[in-house]
Amino acid sequence: MSLNGSKITVIVGAQWGDEGKGKITDYFAGESEYVVRYHGGNNAGHTVIVKGSEYKLHLIPSGVLYEHPISVIGNGVVIDPKALLKEIQYLFKQDIHPQLMISDRAHVIMPYHKQMDNALTDHQGALAAGSTKRGIAPVYADKMFRHGIRMVDITEPDIFKEKLHKSYNFNKKLLSAISDQIIQPDEKSIYEKYLQYGKKLAPYIKDISLELYEAQRNGKAILFEGAQGISLDIDHGIYPYTTSSNSIAGNIATGTGVSYRNINRIIGVTKAYISRVGIGPLPTELPKKQGDALREKGEEYGTTTGRPRRVGWLDLVQVRQAVRVNGLTEIALTKPDILSDNGDLSVCTAYDVDGQQEQEMPASLHKFRLAEPVYQTLPGWGQLSDDMAEKGYESLPENLRHYVQFIEDEVSCPISIISIGPERHQTIIR
Ligand code: GDP
Ligand code: IMO
Ligand code: MG
């Protein structure tokens, strides 16, 4: 069968993460044979609610709640084996038995990466992004230094010993140079512990690029689940207040070894307002009192760290970039229900930087520090109800449909999915 018959869909975040990618991935997972993570690690936190039961996922793709799709962790993902084994156990306890495949090329988060993450945050001070302290930046840095440890290595004792020695000693020196911390635990105990993890995870470790290539050739539907969002992307985000991987759709190629040539749909998940965990410029952030109210209503607390999320008005300068850089074929709008009964709503369409209007995300941190949002005021809407999901788009309040149209016009991308609640069934397809 020709590769052109493939059915590839990519789901990405169009903001600062936590847009509802988990919910939208779960929605489409039922019609997919593979659901694949291609970057990031357990800094991600994806909440899926099905029939009243809530599941929090960090490394395993959000397709796992269906029995049939195979859950794939690509080579671009960084894996903390302890966290992964814990997540597998968490699912087992709920009688979910993931059909899991892990790339042999995925890099492994070591205990010293987490230690280094803490030290880095102190070292970077005002330029620190407010990391989740899961070891993300240090593990990707070691990958680029080329002394990283991959999943295949922890199944090969001799190679692992050789590689660990290099990586451990490098990190030991680096840690003592930037902090007064002492690397822990010792090399030998890490070696023994990680060989045990390797034994436990060995049945899942494979060349997933080949597996997915064959799947494409056989016309199987593959769904890619992004983590984080465009403004946290290491290249296209608001650097250095980003994560350390590329969240954009094009990264499925490097992150899994599946060519982007055959992608059919790229869905950008966009919350009807914004939220941000961590530090960095946030032009449309609400003042404290209003922000506190929206945070409580939207339950905006980090899925991974529990930190309160900063919240604000929808920023279309950001979404415009997400449409362009990801090549979005469509947008999934989430959480408009949280804006119900809010009165008039503001939507940012440009930044005013020292008297100049900017329609696109600047690279300059100086400009971001000066950026004042240019707002358009749109009328709000009342309560949304579950029967609207059954009745379809036309049953939504007129002002919400106007909000949808306004976004589409500003960013030149259709909104084809509207999520009006966290549950799988609270979803409207236009
Ligand atoms: P992700 O990181 O993009 O997967 O998003 P998270 O799961 O971290 O955060 C999104 C939160 O919003 C989760 O608690 C979801 O259950 C919830 N959610 C998703 N879509 C909707 C929606 O349309 N309405 C409401 N009220 N909640 C939603
Ligand atoms: P999901 O997939 C929201 C943020 C952190 C911090 C910055 C760097 O759930 O959307 P890191 O630990 O990656 O070095 O932290 O990125 N961050 C997220 N914010 N959602 C996420 O993932 C995030 N993953 C990382 O708060 O500001
Ligand atoms: Mg999240």
Side-chain angles (χ1 to χ4, degrees):
M1 192 177 289
S2 133
L3 277 182
N4 296 331
S6 75
K7 293 169 266 177
I8 299 188
T9 303
V10 187
I11 291 175
V12 292
Q15 296 160 313
W16 273 281
D18 304 328
E19 300 91 347
K21 297 176 293 292
K23 171 186 164 160
I24 302 297
T25 300
D26 168 75
Y27 186 84
F28 285 102
E31 51 196 72
S32 309
E33 277 131 310
Y34 291 82
V35 185
V36 187
R37 273 280 304 273
Y38 58 93
H39 75 104
N42 60 326
N43 49 349
H46 302 164
T47 306
V48 183
I49 305 178
V50 184
K51 294 189 186 128
S53 301
E54 184 178 79
Y55 304 88
K56 289 188 185 293
L57 301 161
H58 299 281
L59 272 166
I60 298 179
S62 305
V64 71
L65 304 183
Y66 284 95
E67 257 173 45
H68 63 278
I70 297 176
S71 296
V72 180
I73 300 181
N75 57 278
V77 177
V78 286
I79 300 174
D80 180 337
K82 189 178 170 188
L84 178 57
L85 286 163
K86 201 172 145 200
E87 197 164 320
I88 295 171
Q89 280 307 317
Y90 160 81
L91 290 169
F92 275 1
K93 277 197 189 130
Q94 301 181 75
D95 211 19
I96 295 167
H97 298 270
Q99 299 187 60
L100 189 61
M101 288 187 187
I102 304 168
S103 169
D104 42 10
R105 292 172 168 85
H107 279 248
V108 183
I109 298 178
M110 309 300 287
Y112 46 83
H113 290 137
K114 288 183 264 185
Q115 242 189 314
M116 187 67 84
D117 215 353
N118 269 293
L120 267 179
T121 297
D122 293 342
H123 176 74
Q124 290 168 340
L127 290 173
S131 131
T132 59
K133 311 226 170 120
R134 298 297 190 266
I136 304 296
V139 71
Y140 278 116
D142 273 357
K143 174 176 175 176
M144 292 304 164
F145 279 130
R146 302 198 298 269
H147 57 228
I149 289 158
R150 308 201 291 180
M151 288 304 290
V152 63
D153 300 329
I154 60 170
T155 67
E156 296 178 339
D158 292 345
I159 299 277
F160 180 42
K161 188 173 260 177
E162 196 181 327
K163 286 194 170 185
L164 177 64
H165 192 62
K166 285 286 155 204
S167 172
Y168 187 87
N169 279 300
F170 181 86
N171 279 280
K172 184 175 166 181
K173 287 180 188 152
L174 198 55
L175 191 63
S176 68
I178 65 160
S179 74
D180 50 16
Q181 288 185 47
I182 293 172
I183 195 165
Q184 281 174 332
D186 60 79
E187 191 178 331
K188 188 163 175 286
S189 29
I190 294 180
Y191 179 69
E192 281 161 7
K193 190 95 211 156
Y194 275 65
L195 278 182
Q196 281 173 23
Y197 293 146
K199 275 205 180 111
K200 286 189 181 147
L201 293 171
Y204 306 115
I205 300 175
K206 296 208 163 49
D207 185 335
I208 61 99
S209 168
L210 268 181
E211 172 82 23
L212 295 173
Y213 183 71
E214 288 305 326
Q216 274 189 82
R217 283 167 64 87
N218 291 314
K220 303 231 164 120
I222 307 175
L223 181 63
F224 289 87
E225 179 185 36
Q228 289 90 47
I230 183 101
S231 293
L232 294 171
D233 182 287
I234 183 81
D235 284 275
H236 303 285
I238 307 177
Y239 189 86
Y241 301 101
T242 60
T243 187
S244 299
S245 66
N246 291 108
S247 60
I248 61 162
N251 190 31
I252 71 153
T254 32
T256 64
V258 171
S259 172
Y260 46 77
R261 182 160 69 103
N262 301 298
I263 302 176
N264 302 94
R265 296 176 75 181
I266 306 176
I267 304 171
V269 186
T270 307
K271 208 181 281 197
Y273 52 95
I274 57 133
S275 71
R276 163 74 160 115
V277 208
I279 298 153
L282 200 57
T284 64
E285 185 166 18
L286 281 166
K288 187 172 174 352
K289 205 171 154 202
Q290 264 177 296
D292 287 351
L294 183 58
R295 178 180 314 108
E296 293 313 310
K297 196 169 171 197
E299 295 178 42
E300 296 294 351
Y301 289 88
T303 308
T304 299
T305 57
R307 289 179 291 177
R309 296 174 182 153
R310 299 155 67 195
V311 293
W313 296 121
L314 179 62
D315 183 343
L316 295 182
V317 183
Q318 176 182 47
V319 180
R320 201 173 283 136
Q321 184 200 27
V323 170
R324 175 169 51 84
V325 175
N326 288 294
L328 297 186
T329 58
E330 59 216 276
I331 286 173
L333 187 72
T334 59
K335 299 187 106 165
D337 51 301
I338 301 300
L339 293 181
S340 292
D341 294 334
N342 197 95
D344 280 353
L345 305 169
S346 300
V347 177
C348 168
T349 55
Y351 301 147
D352 182 313
V353 180
D354 224 4
Q356 295 281 333
Q357 284 221 354
E358 302 266 352
Q359 309 282 335
E360 299 290 340
M361 295 291 272
S364 153
L365 202 50
H366 174 70
K367 285 189 176 175
F368 261 114
R369 286 183 178 162
L370 295 175
E372 291 290 337
V374 177
Y375 285 124
Q376 177 93 22
T377 305
L378 298 179
W381 50 85
Q383 287 296 321
L384 307 182
S385 56
D386 272 17
D387 62 326
M388 292 175 182
E390 279 158 41
K391 288 187 189 144
Y393 185 69
E394 295 306 321
S395 70
L396 290 175
E398 192 183 347
N399 287 348
L400 172 51
R401 284 183 284 132
H402 180 227
Y403 194 81
V404 166
Q405 174 85 54
F406 182 81
I407 300 169
E408 291 181 324
D409 292 345
E410 280 287 324
V411 304
S412 306
C413 184
I415 296 180
S416 62
I417 302 149
I418 295 149
S419 166
I420 57 167
E423 288 258 7
R424 189 184 280 166
H425 70 271
Q426 293 170 309
T427 312
I428 297 175
I429 308 291
R430 272 170 98 187

